[in-house]
PDB file of all heavy atoms in Angstrom:
ATOM      1  N   SER A  19     -44.188  19.495 -14.667  1.00 37.00           N
ATOM      2  CA  SER A  19     -45.129  19.008 -13.661  1.00 37.00           C
ATOM      3  C   SER A  19     -45.806  17.776 -14.223  1.00 37.00           C
ATOM      4  O   SER A  19     -46.064  17.667 -15.436  1.00 37.00           O
ATOM      5  CB  SER A  19     -46.189  20.091 -13.384  1.00 37.00           C
ATOM      6  OG  SER A  19     -47.233  19.566 -12.619  1.00 37.00           O
ATOM      7  N   ALA A  35     -59.067  27.543 -32.070  1.00 78.00           N
ATOM      8  CA  ALA A  35     -58.103  28.629 -31.804  1.00 78.00           C
ATOM      9  C   ALA A  35     -57.024  28.133 -30.847  1.00 78.00           C
ATOM     10  O   ALA A  35     -55.836  28.459 -30.987  1.00 78.00           O
ATOM     11  CB  ALA A  35     -58.812  29.857 -31.240  1.00 78.00           C
ATOM     12  N   GLY A  54     -29.630  24.837 -31.305  1.00 94.00           N
ATOM     13  CA  GLY A  54     -28.584  23.960 -30.768  1.00 94.00           C
ATOM     14  C   GLY A  54     -27.797  24.541 -29.610  1.00 94.00           C
ATOM     15  O   GLY A  54     -26.678  24.098 -29.345  1.00 94.00           O
ATOM     16  N   VAL A  78     -47.360  14.775 -28.694  1.00 96.00           N
ATOM     17  CA  VAL A  78     -46.245  15.340 -29.472  1.00 96.00           C
ATOM     18  C   VAL A  78     -45.558  16.471 -28.686  1.00 96.00           C
ATOM     19  O   VAL A  78     -44.325  16.578 -28.665  1.00 96.00           O
ATOM     20  CB  VAL A  78     -46.741  15.868 -30.836  1.00 96.00           C
ATOM     21  CG1 VAL A  78     -45.617  16.614 -31.565  1.00 96.00           C
ATOM     22  CG2 VAL A  78     -47.272  14.708 -31.673  1.00 96.00           C
ATOM     23  N   ALA A 219      -6.872   5.035 -11.537  1.00 95.00           N
ATOM     24  CA  ALA A 219      -8.106   5.531 -10.947  1.00 95.00           C
ATOM     25  C   ALA A 219      -8.103   7.053 -10.856  1.00 95.00           C
ATOM     26  O   ALA A 219      -9.116   7.716 -11.113  1.00 95.00           O
ATOM     27  CB  ALA A 219      -8.346   4.916  -9.585  1.00 95.00           C
ATOM     28  N   MET A 222      -8.720   8.530 -14.396  1.00 95.00           N
ATOM     29  CA  MET A 222     -10.105   8.367 -14.877  1.00 95.00           C
ATOM     30  C   MET A 222     -11.091   9.251 -14.141  1.00 95.00           C
ATOM     31  O   MET A 222     -12.006   9.828 -14.734  1.00 95.00           O
ATOM     32  CB  MET A 222     -10.511   6.903 -14.757  1.00 95.00           C
ATOM     33  CG  MET A 222      -9.786   6.013 -15.734  1.00 95.00           C
ATOM     34  SD  MET A 222     -10.336   4.310 -15.691  1.00 95.00           S
ATOM     35  CE  MET A 222      -9.502   3.656 -17.137  1.00 95.00           C
ATOM     36  N   ALA A 254      -9.206  13.319   2.345  1.00 97.00           N
ATOM     37  CA  ALA A 254     -10.269  13.843   3.220  1.00 97.00           C
ATOM     38  C   ALA A 254     -10.980  15.024   2.525  1.00 97.00           C
ATOM     39  O   ALA A 254     -12.190  15.139   2.623  1.00 97.00           O
ATOM     40  CB  ALA A 254      -9.646  14.287   4.540  1.00 97.00           C
ATOM     41  N   MET A 263     -21.896  17.852  -1.996  1.00 94.00           N
ATOM     42  CA  MET A 263     -22.841  17.616  -3.088  1.00 94.00           C
ATOM     43  C   MET A 263     -23.936  16.636  -2.678  1.00 94.00           C
ATOM     44  O   MET A 263     -25.085  16.782  -3.096  1.00 94.00           O
ATOM     45  CB  MET A 263     -22.097  17.044  -4.297  1.00 94.00           C
ATOM     46  CG  MET A 263     -21.021  17.958  -4.847  1.00 94.00           C
ATOM     47  SD  MET A 263     -20.103  17.103  -6.164  1.00 94.00           S
ATOM     48  CE  MET A 263     -18.818  18.325  -6.493  1.00 94.00           C
ATOM     49  N   VAL A 327     -15.286  -0.755   4.353  1.00 68.00           N
ATOM     50  CA  VAL A 327     -13.861  -0.486   4.143  1.00 68.00           C
ATOM     51  C   VAL A 327     -13.403  -1.192   2.866  1.00 68.00           C
ATOM     52  O   VAL A 327     -13.335  -2.425   2.825  1.00 68.00           O
ATOM     53  CB  VAL A 327     -13.013  -0.989   5.337  1.00 68.00           C
ATOM     54  CG1 VAL A 327     -11.551  -0.676   5.089  1.00 68.00           C
ATOM     55  CG2 VAL A 327     -13.486  -0.341   6.620  1.00 68.00           C
ATOM     56  N   THR A 348      11.997  -5.549  19.168  1.00 96.00           N
ATOM     57  CA  THR A 348      11.689  -6.176  20.470  1.00 96.00           C
ATOM     58  C   THR A 348      12.113  -7.641  20.510  1.00 96.00           C
ATOM     59  O   THR A 348      11.740  -8.381  21.412  1.00 96.00           O
ATOM     60  CB  THR A 348      10.192  -6.048  20.794  1.00 96.00           C
ATOM     61  OG1 THR A 348       9.430  -6.683  19.764  1.00 96.00           O
ATOM     62  CG2 THR A 348       9.769  -4.590  20.892  1.00 96.00           C
ATOM     63  N   SER A 369       5.746  -7.499  -8.203  1.00 74.00           N
ATOM     64  CA  SER A 369       4.956  -6.300  -8.471  1.00 74.00           C
ATOM     65  C   SER A 369       5.604  -5.024  -7.960  1.00 74.00           C
ATOM     66  O   SER A 369       5.058  -3.932  -8.114  1.00 74.00           O
ATOM     67  CB  SER A 369       3.559  -6.434  -7.819  1.00 74.00           C
ATOM     68  OG  SER A 369       3.691  -6.379  -6.394  1.00 74.00           O
ATOM     69  N   ILE A 401      17.933 -10.548   0.680  1.00 95.00           N
ATOM     70  CA  ILE A 401      18.725  -9.351   0.348  1.00 95.00           C
ATOM     71  C   ILE A 401      19.041  -9.325  -1.147  1.00 95.00           C
ATOM     72  O   ILE A 401      19.049  -8.239  -1.756  1.00 95.00           O
ATOM     73  CB  ILE A 401      20.024  -9.294   1.191  1.00 95.00           C
ATOM     74  CG1 ILE A 401      19.684  -9.300   2.676  1.00 95.00           C
ATOM     75  CG2 ILE A 401      20.813  -8.047   0.854  1.00 95.00           C
ATOM     76  CD1 ILE A 401      20.875  -9.394   3.598  1.00 95.00           C
ATOM     77  N   GLU A 477      37.264 -39.387   8.305  1.00 93.00           N
ATOM     78  CA  GLU A 477      37.018 -38.039   7.806  1.00 93.00           C
ATOM     79  C   GLU A 477      37.111 -37.013   8.951  1.00 93.00           C
ATOM     80  O   GLU A 477      37.691 -35.951   8.798  1.00 93.00           O
ATOM     81  CB  GLU A 477      35.641 -37.971   7.160  1.00 93.00           C
ATOM     82  CG  GLU A 477      35.335 -36.657   6.475  1.00 93.00           C
ATOM     83  CD  GLU A 477      36.229 -36.371   5.292  1.00 93.00           C
ATOM     84  OE1 GLU A 477      36.667 -37.337   4.628  1.00 93.00           O
ATOM     85  OE2 GLU A 477      36.508 -35.184   5.032  1.00 93.00           O
ATOM     86  N   ASP A 491      48.368 -21.793  14.063  1.00 94.00           N
ATOM     87  CA  ASP A 491      49.059 -20.826  13.226  1.00 94.00           C
ATOM     88  C   ASP A 491      48.419 -19.463  13.511  1.00 94.00           C
ATOM     89  O   ASP A 491      47.230 -19.276  13.260  1.00 94.00           O
ATOM     90  CB  ASP A 491      48.898 -21.215  11.758  1.00 94.00           C
ATOM     91  CG  ASP A 491      49.640 -20.248  10.835  1.00 94.00           C
ATOM     92  OD1 ASP A 491      49.277 -19.056  10.776  1.00 94.00           O
ATOM     93  OD2 ASP A 491      50.592 -20.702  10.150  1.00 94.00           O
ATOM     94  N   GLU A 515      51.894 -14.073   1.366  1.00 88.00           N
ATOM     95  CA  GLU A 515      53.215 -14.627   1.007  1.00 88.00           C
ATOM     96  C   GLU A 515      53.725 -14.031  -0.292  1.00 88.00           C
ATOM     97  O   GLU A 515      54.929 -13.752  -0.429  1.00 88.00           O
ATOM     98  CB  GLU A 515      53.102 -16.145   0.893  1.00 88.00           C
ATOM     99  CG  GLU A 515      52.882 -16.835   2.248  1.00 88.00           C
ATOM    100  CD  GLU A 515      52.643 -18.328   2.090  1.00 88.00           C
ATOM    101  OE1 GLU A 515      52.404 -18.777   0.966  1.00 88.00           O
ATOM    102  OE2 GLU A 515      52.649 -19.015   3.129  1.00 88.00           O
TER     103      GLU A 515
END
Side-chain angles (χ1 to χ4, degrees):
S19 170
V78 173
M222 289 184 171
M263 299 174 186
V327 180
T348 59
S369 70
I401 302 174
E477 186 66 30
D491 182 295
E515 290 174 348

